[in-house]
Amino acid sequence: MKSDRPAYDALVQVKTPKSFANALDRAANFRLMSRSDFVRTTLADRLRADGIEVERGAA
């Protein structure tokens, strides 16, 4: 059985203050998402808003 979940094959890391990571957690929890899913979705939305095409299934 093949999963519908996209393959994540690249790692992106950023350093933030603890307060920023906590804010990401609160925002993700509010949307019932993991922090990673929230960050992926938010970045994909921003890229699209800036006119950058995002591969389908990326977020």
Side-chain angles (χ1 to χ4, degrees):
M1 175 183 229
K2 185 174 179 176
S3 172
D4 289 337
R5 187 173 183 148
Y8 299 122
D9 54 4
L11 177 66
V12 176
Q13 292 180 308
V14 294
K15 288 191 174 260
T16 67
K18 183 73 171 168
S19 60
F20 190 85
N22 290 338
L24 287 173
D25 287 337
R26 287 192 309 274
N29 288 335
F30 179 77
R31 290 170 181 80
L32 303 175
M33 312 170 94
S34 68
R35 184 195 301 174
S36 293
D37 284 338
F38 176 78
V39 170
R40 275 191 293 271
T41 301
T42 302
L43 288 174
D45 290 347
R46 181 55 191 254
L47 288 169
R48 287 185 195 102
D50 288 347
I52 298 168
E53 190 172 327
V54 177
E55 186 176 314
R56 194 165 196 212

